[in-house]
Amino acid sequence: MIRVLLVDDQRLLRSGFRALLDLEDDIEVVAEASDGAEGVALAREHRPDVALIDIRMPVMDGIEATRRIAADPDLAGTHVVILTNYGFDEYVFDALRAGAAGFLVKDVVPEDFLHAVRVAARGDALLAPSVTRRLIQRYMAEPPSRPVDDARTLPELTAREREAVVLVAQGLSNEEIAKRMVISPLTAKTHVNRAMTKLDARDRAQLVIHAYESGLVTPGAR
């Protein structure tokens, strides 16, 4: 059962999301909050698998709430998905850097909304390749290009782990990474998981940010 926390200051939207989630046999809404501070408290109380958090709220906004959840070792299993009315903007980027697994626009169709909850619960990032490109193009300065196997870039990683991180940054799944690297999906997953552990990344979204901020991948590079 996927346990979900809803955090949004608009009661009508919370009710709509809850009604949709309650129809699913594998999803349970464990709590609702109307601001970020209450959301953090309820996350600590219920330890949900997924926290759906509005980015702009009174008392405490979604970015700070995400940061506090991500920093709490007891909530390592809680994956934050940011809800926004505004599409991809600088606030969403700040939330990703704070530890969010991804984001959803509030007018998302029900099927995509439910899929996103399940994806987040698995620990996967809600960052399609097109979203990743927009993230980088708009908010990351272009560092000097460096070869993928340059040990000076993220030296804590092995060459194969760096290669896997580059492919994650391009939006590839573990299965797609396995095909590119000519390895098994299990080995690809192992490379990705070890990179996440070494870089203290909560999820694949954080790996994307590490890849670009370190210069391992540059905007527009293929």
Side-chain angles (χ1 to χ4, degrees):
M1 183 68 70
I2 299 172
R3 295 161 49 82
V4 176
L5 167 66
L6 292 172
V7 186
D8 196 305
D9 61 327
Q10 299 181 56
R11 182 178 298 178
L12 183 60
L13 280 174
R14 290 204 316 271
S15 298
F17 286 140
R18 179 160 200 154
L20 185 60
L21 294 168
D22 283 344
L23 292 174
E24 301 302 302
D25 294 335
D26 61 332
I27 299 175
E28 174 189 11
V29 177
V30 295
E32 297 181 32
S34 59
D35 63 68
E38 183 183 10
V40 172
L42 289 174
R44 289 170 176 160
E45 177 181 351
H46 294 279
R47 301 190 183 184
D49 301 300
V50 178
L52 299 171
I53 300 182
D54 185 21
I55 202 164
R56 301 180 184 180
M57 293 179 292
V59 184
M60 180 188 294
D61 64 22
I63 297 172
E64 182 59 28
T66 298
R67 185 176 292 111
R68 295 192 184 192
I69 289 172
D72 190 335
D74 291 335
L75 296 177
T78 297
H79 305 286
V80 175
V81 176
I82 290 294
L83 301 172
T84 176
N85 287 318
Y86 307 98
F88 191 84
D89 60 19
E90 66 273 15
Y91 296 103
V92 171
F93 178 71
D94 288 343
L96 292 173
R97 295 191 68 174
F103 76 96
L104 288 172
V105 179
K106 290 183 180 180
D107 62 359
V108 62
V109 298
E111 293 80 6
D112 289 345
F113 175 71
L114 294 171
H115 174 70
V117 170
R118 294 185 175 103
V119 168
R122 294 198 304 265
D124 293 334
L126 297 173
L127 289 177
S130 61
V131 173
T132 301
R133 286 193 296 270
R134 290 167 62 194
L135 185 158
I136 299 307
Q137 289 169 356
R138 291 187 60 181
Y139 300 110
M140 301 298 294
E142 295 194 20
S145 178
R146 296 173 179 168
V148 170
D149 61 353
D150 188 346
R152 294 170 299 175
T153 306
L154 300 180
E156 55 269 69
L157 303 183
T158 67
R160 293 297 264 175
E161 288 165 356
R162 284 194 294 274
E163 186 177 353
V165 170
V166 168
L167 296 175
V168 168
Q170 293 176 1
L172 274 63
S173 67
N174 286 340
E175 290 74 18
E176 292 167 331
I177 291 172
K179 291 179 181 178
R180 287 282 195 93
M181 296 179 66
V182 195
I183 55 178
S184 71
L186 180 58
T187 301
K189 182 178 180 180
T190 298
H191 286 322
V192 172
N193 288 345
R194 285 178 177 169
M196 288 172 58
T197 299
K198 291 179 179 179
L199 298 175
D200 196 26
R202 286 172 59 91
D203 51 41
R204 296 168 80 94
Q206 296 296 294
L207 280 186
V208 172
I209 291 173
H210 277 295
Y212 281 91
E213 288 191 325
S214 69
L216 184 63
V217 176
T218 57
R222 306 303 301 167

